[in-house]
Amino acid sequence: MFFKPGIIALFLSSFLISGMVLYASFSGALILRYWDIHSGSETQLRLERKTYLISTILGYAFVFQLFSFFLFIYTADTLHPFFTGAMCAVGSLNVNQWGFPLIMLKIITFLLAGLWLIINFTDNRGYDYPLIKAKYLLLLAMAPLILTEAVIQAKYFLGLNPEVITSCCGSLFTADTKGVPAEIISLPRPVMEIMFYGAMIGTLTLGGVFYRTGTMGYAFAAAVLLTLLVSIASFISFISIYFYELPTHHCPFCILQKEYGYIGYCLYLLLLVGGLAGMGAGLLMPFRQIPSLKETLPSMQRHLTLTSIISYLLFTGIATYQIIFSNLKM
Amino acid sequence: MIKAIDKQRYILDFTLSSLWRRKGKNLALVLVYTLVVFILGSVMFFTQALKNEAAVVLRGSPEIIVQKIVAGRHDLIPVSYGSRIGKIRGVNAVKARFWGYYYDPVAKANYTLMVPEDLPLKDQEIVVGAGISRVRRVFRGNSIVFRTYDGKPATFFLKGILSPESELLSSDLILISAPGFASLFGIPPDRATDLTVQVANKKEIPTIAAKIVDALPDTRAITREEILRTYDAVFDWRGGIMIAILAGAVLAFLIFAWDKAAGLSAEEKREIGILKAIGWETADVLQMKFWEGLVISLSSFFLGIILAYFHIFYASATLFEPVLKGWSVLYPHFNLTPFISGYQIAILFFITVIPYTVATIIPSWRAATIDPDAVMRT
Amino acid sequence: MIELQHLRKVFNAGWPNEYVAIHDLNLEIAAHQVTVLTGPSGSGKTTVLSLLGCMARPTAGRIMLGEREITSLPERFLTQIRRTTFGFIFQQFNLIRGITVLENVMLPAYPLGEPLGGLKKRALNLLDLLNLASKAAAKVEWLSGGEAQRTAIARALVNNPGVIIADEPTAHLDTGLSREFLDIMRDFKGQGKTILIASHDPMVHDSEIVDRVVRMRDGRIIDAGVF
């Protein structure tokens, strides 16, 4: 099982990324300790040169992290024919107890990696590296998560046993069992619909307000995060069935397969990008008053907000289109 | 925005001219890089193509194969078991299969003999695979002598040779009539090699397989899915082992890449110093190094993939032949169906371009942080 | 317009080969004038030039560019200022071999990302001004000494800087070419540019275009030469 090329590639990349993050963390710790922008000493000059290296390393590391997230999902999907009972990635992930925690961790590190890249980009716009401490503190917080993810990924792949009979998404994502997915599916449809469209409209409105006036930034970011969760829940609850054209098929992973035109990647990408951009805009709020960023920060936040709004709008558009034009009429 | 694009264009322009100014070193790098991608790509394409062939072939294979097991080994199965199986609900048809192996001391090779379902053959007629034809130098109309189970010679006449397109599977195959098979191997009339079961509903296969083993405890029921999975696993495992072995080669390549990136000639150092002195900042030089890496990576990557594609699909993986041939005397000539997917390209990218990029980060940064002050003092 | 306050520059601080290049230097450079720094080698002229021209950061002290303090700006922003404010002419010309004269001249403007059309025109104008238009497509290896020097001058001007800094510009030139150089500097002074030259060539610091000569020795100013 281990020798599938996709799995080898994922092991290699998580090994490389962990190495890069560890190295960057050690150097980052040094920077946190000795950094003094007003000094002209050789130590400071060396640290400034070092920070270019660390930014470059982490830039690459986090971009690879984003790629490997999608490679992982695709690989999990290709593994499903090997397990009895598995019809999609859900089956592969369910084979041992590490699968689902792993994918949760991967989503979290994906978002954190994106946020770090946003802060790094902003820091470079200020002439006195205003966010350098915040940046490296965040890095030190993320490092253990990334290392844990690498370890859990290893445990997951090494623990894949083809003898295990796993469950299909049909039995997991149904109202009859226990668990979070079941709770979501058992909620009455009109309630979910109102929650989804309400959350979307609210978020988009707040986004518009923030874009124009620069106020309600925190509210917008919070709304973005909330809507991300609501959208995933809504997908499981009622959007999915219109893509599958089957009132009992709620699985969030089957949509990643070929027969649905890989539309799942598009939808999830829109949600993740929208969520990331919106949260990024909110994350930058506390730094608006810093003198070196005063001029450039608001326009950055506007760009991020616009990206977020457009992504969420596209997601809603595609979902609504499918609901209206699907062969399934409820 | 336009400004950013223009800036990248300028830097890319300078990068290309600077790569060309040191073409010896860079061409050597591209050569080695391409070779690495070529080998890894060939292994991946080959493995996947074989898996695809197996899948295509197995599509026509029976849903369940029932074999009798005695003391853990495959034994001849009573044909009467077939009627017991036929009574199970969901079973469409049960057929007896006759096949076996014959060791030919003349060619020192093993042949697979099989009684075909739809090909009518006279008692002494056989059809052989291309590999056998080559090794024994026999052609249509010729005769070939085998030894029967009781040591007597039996002469068979070649009705034809199996088509070269099917060589991958049929190279060592002999199609023989039922009486011919019985006379050659001395199989009792009420026995067959195994039974094939045709099932109406695909979803029922595991259930029916379980029922068969229940009703006939001295048998095993092999489903088509199991065979497919086993083939898949074996190919993956073999392909994966090759990739793991090649890890050594990839590591050597990375050390080479690091060395090339770190070994700036005096002229290169001077150039970067000048750039920094006339107004390029560290980030701009890093950008240049990024483009350098990208140009080299992408050209090597795509060249390697194209060469691997041609190697596997148009040159029949000639370079792997000595490795694959192993004990086989009857090595088939084959042409694999071309297959390439985005997933394979992504994986190749992860195991070649990404490690290369990581190996060159620190050397690139060292180059980019050259002090312009030094230039002032020359 | 450029002011150095209590400037100190130490190389390899804390190591056995620690070297103090400049001790407590105070200097004010006036705009639109030609200032010459002179002194024996090791006196710190080149260090002062690189500090004035935002190419290095001082160990202690302050540098003011106009109203703005630039002492502790990180390299990224220092370079941004330097690109558009200063044009450097080096002792060894320091042109990049293997590319044309025109490309060499345009090089400092690449990071600014302006459209190619405008940039090319400006570069060609500069070459024309310096009688190099016919050599625009020539590789720099084929240039004579004087042509190389003029290419270096054109390159220093491509971003339209207000200040020109030249380090020992006549060190490798004969009398005729040195005179040519001083004539070109006269033209730039006439255009209102500020010019700083480090030179121990008497032809330079005795020239009539020079407004002020500053003498240095052992990292200190021994004669500020203010008239």
Side-chain angles (χ1 to χ4, degrees):
Chain A
M1 186 54 57
F2 166 75
F3 281 107
K4 284 191 159 299
I7 299 182
I8 293 180
L10 283 169
F11 262 91
L12 183 63
S13 79
S14 76
F15 173 73
L16 284 174
I17 292 174
S18 302
M20 286 156 87
V21 167
L22 258 179
Y23 178 82
S25 300
F26 278 118
S27 303
L30 279 174
I31 289 185
L32 276 175
R33 187 115 163 36
Y34 295 111
W35 183 269
D36 176 11
I37 187 74
H38 296 290
S39 141
S41 69
E42 301 238 333
T43 315
Q44 174 63 15
L45 292 178
R46 228 187 351 252
L47 286 179
E48 278 179 34
R49 277 201 286 270
K50 224 15 177 345
T51 198
Y52 273 109
L53 176 62
I54 302 184
S55 289
T56 311
I57 291 180
L58 288 174
Y60 279 121
F62 290 146
V63 167
F64 295 155
Q65 179 85 354
L66 305 188
F67 286 165
S68 78
F69 176 61
F70 287 106
L71 188 72
F72 174 76
I73 295 183
Y74 195 90
T75 305
D77 197 45
T78 58
L79 286 176
H80 81 256
F82 290 86
F83 303 107
T84 322
M87 295 298 186
C88 66
V90 169
S92 331
L93 290 173
N94 231 357
V95 170
N96 59 46
Q97 80 263 43
W98 305 109
F100 276 107
L102 179 59
I103 199 143
M104 294 294 159
L105 250 185
K106 279 202 181 269
I107 294 179
I108 295 177
T109 51
F110 178 102
L111 290 172
L112 285 175
L115 288 175
W116 195 93
L117 288 173
I118 292 178
I119 295 188
N120 187 45
F121 187 76
T122 311
D123 187 38
N124 287 338
R125 300 273 146 277
Y127 54 73
D128 56 354
Y129 286 106
L131 302 177
I132 196 151
K133 301 241 170 185
K135 198 162 75 177
Y136 289 119
L137 281 171
L138 178 61
L139 173 67
L140 289 178
M142 285 168 68
L145 277 176
I146 294 183
L147 293 171
T148 312
E149 186 208 305
V151 169
I152 294 192
Q153 182 179 265
K155 279 182 135 66
Y156 169 68
F157 280 126
L158 292 173
L160 283 180
N161 185 356
E163 304 295 313
V164 172
I165 298 179
T166 175
S167 30
C168 157
C169 50
S171 59
L172 207 66
F173 288 95
T174 173
D176 306 327
T177 61
K178 287 203 259 292
V180 174
E183 307 277 329
I184 297 176
I185 296 168
S186 355
L187 281 175
R189 277 220 16 235
V191 173
M192 263 332 273
E193 281 174 355
I194 294 177
M195 268 179 69
F196 174 66
Y197 285 106
M200 268 298 170
I201 293 176
T203 308
L204 294 172
T205 316
L206 280 171
V209 167
F210 181 58
Y211 188 81
R212 286 204 165 275
T213 68
T215 56
M216 321 241 12
Y218 288 112
F220 172 59
V224 161
L225 181 56
L226 188 66
T227 308
L228 178 63
L229 300 170
V230 167
S231 303
I232 297 177
S234 307
F235 182 83
I236 297 175
S237 164
F238 66 92
I239 302 178
S240 47
I241 58 181
Y242 291 100
F243 281 95
Y244 301 131
E245 294 177 349
L246 196 61
T248 48
H249 195 178
H250 293 278
C251 176
F253 289 96
C254 287
I255 193 113
L256 296 163
Q257 295 187 323
K258 195 175 175 170
E259 45 248 320
Y260 304 107
Y262 297 116
I263 190 95
Y265 288 100
C266 175
L267 288 170
Y268 288 134
L269 195 63
L270 285 171
L271 271 185
L272 284 171
V273 166
L276 190 59
M279 287 195 280
L283 193 64
L284 294 175
M285 284 299 288
F287 306 118
R288 269 147 68 102
Q289 294 310 317
I290 296 182
S292 56
L293 292 176
K294 251 194 161 108
E295 295 178 3
T296 50
L297 199 65
S299 83
M300 276 198 63
Q301 285 183 305
R302 272 202 298 277
H303 280 129
L304 287 170
T305 309
L306 196 62
T307 311
S308 183
I309 291 178
I310 294 180
S311 305
Y312 272 14
L313 211 55
L314 278 173
F315 176 82
T316 314
I318 297 177
T320 312
Y321 178 88
Q322 189 66 24
I323 293 179
I324 296 177
F325 291 104
S326 164
N327 285 327
L328 177 73
K329 304 281 179 223
M330 297 286 282
Chain B
M1 192 61 191
I2 324 269
K3 227 173 72 151
I5 296 179
D6 268 330
K7 171 174 169 177
Q8 293 308 318
R9 257 223 315 257
Y10 287 134
I11 298 184
L12 178 59
D13 189 71
F14 186 76
T15 308
L16 289 173
S17 86
S18 112
L19 282 174
W20 191 247
R21 264 174 279 140
R22 284 167 271 281
K23 43 175 141 358
K25 161 175 148 173
N26 290 313
L27 282 177
L29 183 59
V30 167
L31 197 68
V32 178
Y33 202 159
T34 305
L35 191 66
V36 171
V37 176
F38 168 72
I39 295 181
L40 290 170
S42 293
V43 171
M44 282 191 57
F45 289 158
F46 194 48
T47 317
Q48 187 63 41
L50 285 177
K51 279 204 271 184
N52 291 352
E53 293 285 337
V56 164
V57 158
L58 287 173
R59 229 176 274 160
S61 119
E63 280 96 22
I64 307 181
I65 298 170
V66 182
Q67 295 178 336
K68 180 164 160 165
I69 301 291
V70 172
R73 295 176 134 246
H74 167 214
D75 197 21
L76 298 173
I77 194 169
V79 180
S80 57
Y81 279 18
S83 44
R84 300 261 292 277
I85 296 174
K87 292 202 184 71
I88 298 178
R89 202 164 59 114
V91 169
N92 267 0
V94 183
K95 295 205 187 95
R97 263 198 336 187
F98 301 90
W99 57 272
Y101 301 115
Y102 178 84
Y103 175 70
D104 180 6
V106 176
K108 296 204 184 26
N110 262 312
Y111 307 144
T112 308
L113 273 89
M114 192 173 113
V115 177
E117 252 178 57
D118 316 323
L119 185 65
L121 286 166
K122 297 213 206 37
D123 283 10
Q124 301 304 110
E125 267 182 342
I126 56 171
V127 176
V128 305
I132 300 180
S133 160
R134 278 199 296 273
V135 148
R136 288 291 301 259
R137 281 188 269 270
V138 287
F139 304 97
R140 207 156 80 120
N142 293 156
S143 63
I144 189 171
V145 180
F146 292 140
R147 269 164 85 91
T148 62
Y149 70 101
D150 51 2
K152 301 204 186 59
T155 315
F156 291 93
F157 296 93
L158 259 75
K159 183 173 173 186
I161 301 177
L162 293 168
S163 77
E165 271 97 48
S166 65
E167 255 204 71
L168 193 57
L169 297 164
S170 67
S171 185
D172 64 348
L173 186 63
I174 298 180
L175 298 177
I176 191 171
S177 65
F181 185 83
S183 70
L184 188 60
F185 289 124
I187 307 250
D190 62 339
R191 295 266 196 248
T193 313
D194 53 30
L195 302 171
T196 66
V197 180
Q198 209 185 63
V199 170
N201 184 355
K202 224 172 66 136
K203 294 207 176 82
E204 304 269 305
I205 294 177
T207 331
I208 293 177
K211 284 190 185 156
I212 293 174
V213 176
D214 234 15
L216 304 161
D218 59 347
T219 61
R220 70 174 170 196
I222 307 170
T223 67
R224 182 172 58 198
E225 306 309 323
E226 277 170 355
I227 300 181
L228 253 173
R229 261 186 279 163
T230 314
Y231 267 110
D232 239 22
V234 166
F235 284 131
D236 271 337
W237 178 73
R238 293 244 173 118
I241 293 225
M242 273 206 78
I243 290 186
I245 291 173
L246 291 170
V250 174
L251 199 58
F253 164 64
L254 292 178
I255 296 176
F256 175 75
W258 168 292
D259 192 56
K260 280 270 164 271
L264 291 175
S265 64
E267 182 67 26
E268 281 176 282
K269 285 200 184 104
R270 180 178 166 268
E271 274 189 29
I272 293 179
I274 294 176
L275 286 175
K276 300 284 289 280
I278 62 176
W280 285 41
E281 34 146 343
T282 305
D284 297 326
V285 181
L286 275 173
Q287 202 79 272
M288 179 178 91
K289 288 284 162 197
F290 164 76
W291 281 116
E292 246 180 56
L294 196 70
V295 167
I296 290 185
S297 287
L298 286 185
S299 12
S300 310
F301 187 66
F302 285 119
L303 196 58
I305 288 184
I306 293 175
L307 287 174
Y309 188 84
F310 273 104
H311 171 228
I312 301 297
F313 298 119
Y314 291 99
S316 305
T318 2
L319 294 173
F320 289 156
E321 196 182 298
V323 178
L324 293 169
K325 207 161 171 194
W327 300 116
S328 134
V329 179
L330 299 164
Y331 192 72
H333 298 166
F334 58 86
N335 266 327
L336 291 167
T337 317
F339 176 82
I340 193 170
S341 75
Y343 185 52
Q344 286 174 316
I345 311 250
I347 294 178
L348 266 176
F349 185 85
F350 264 75
I351 58 183
T352 54
V353 176
I354 288 186
Y356 172 81
T357 308
V358 174
T360 52
I361 291 182
I362 292 188
S364 299
W365 169 76
R366 288 233 179 95
T369 46
I370 286 178
D371 207 358
D373 213 36
V375 170
M376 291 278 285
R377 293 169 190 287
T378 43
Chain C
M1 70 162 304
I2 312 172
E3 206 181 312
L4 307 179
Q5 296 170 2
H6 299 292
L7 225 52
R8 187 176 154 81
K9 180 68 181 169
V10 183
F11 291 102
N12 299 325
W15 292 84
N17 58 344
E18 181 177 300
Y19 171 62
V20 184
I22 301 188
H23 304 258
D24 196 30
L25 192 121
N26 290 290
L27 183 63
E28 204 178 308
I29 307 288
H32 313 302
Q33 286 189 352
V34 178
T35 311
V36 173
L37 294 174
T38 187
S41 55
S43 55
K45 304 193 298 290
T46 309
T47 311
V48 170
L49 279 190
S50 54
L51 284 168
L52 278 171
C54 303
M55 218 189 265
R57 278 190 19 210
T59 312
R62 298 171 61 180
I63 306 180
M64 307 290 293
L65 185 65
E67 289 301 312
R68 188 173 178 186
E69 178 172 351
I70 58 171
T71 326
S72 51
L73 279 183
E75 189 226 331
R76 181 193 316 270
F77 294 92
L78 213 56
T79 315
Q80 271 176 20
I81 294 176
R82 173 156 55 91
R83 262 202 288 260
T84 47
T85 317
F86 297 97
F88 280 86
I89 303 171
F90 303 99
Q91 197 178 80
Q92 308 272 24
F93 307 145
N94 285 335
L95 299 172
I96 295 197
R97 294 197 269 265
I99 57 178
T100 66
V101 163
L102 184 63
E103 277 165 6
N104 260 292
V105 171
M106 294 197 298
L107 218 43
Y110 280 1
L112 291 168
E114 61 171 288
L116 184 60
L119 175 59
K120 214 164 170 182
K121 209 155 72 128
R122 199 164 72 235
L124 285 169
N125 274 347
L126 279 169
L127 288 175
D128 200 32
L129 224 69
L130 295 163
N131 294 321
L132 279 174
S134 54
K135 298 275 179 186
K139 291 272 190 323
V140 300
E141 301 92 274
W142 307 334
L143 296 176
S144 71
E147 289 165 338
Q149 182 206 49
R150 279 178 281 147
T151 309
I153 297 176
R155 180 180 69 184
L157 292 169
V158 76
N159 285 331
N160 221 357
V163 184
I164 297 178
I165 298 185
D167 189 11
E168 303 286 356
T170 58
H172 302 292
L173 301 177
D174 63 19
T175 318
L177 289 173
S178 300
R179 203 168 290 138
E180 227 177 81
F181 175 80
L182 290 168
D183 287 338
I184 297 174
M185 290 299 117
R186 181 184 296 115
D187 289 336
F188 289 147
K189 182 180 171 185
Q191 290 170 22
K193 297 207 190 291
T194 309
I195 302 181
L196 269 101
I197 307 180
S199 179
H200 56 252
D201 185 353
M203 214 181 138
V204 174
H205 55 68
D206 290 343
S207 164
E208 31 93 24
I209 64 167
V210 174
D211 295 304
R212 176 182 175 189
V213 178
V214 177
R215 281 177 220 280
M216 288 184 66
R217 199 184 183 91
D218 297 326
R220 284 175 226 273
I221 296 180
I222 54 175
D223 177 5
V226 186
F227 301 135

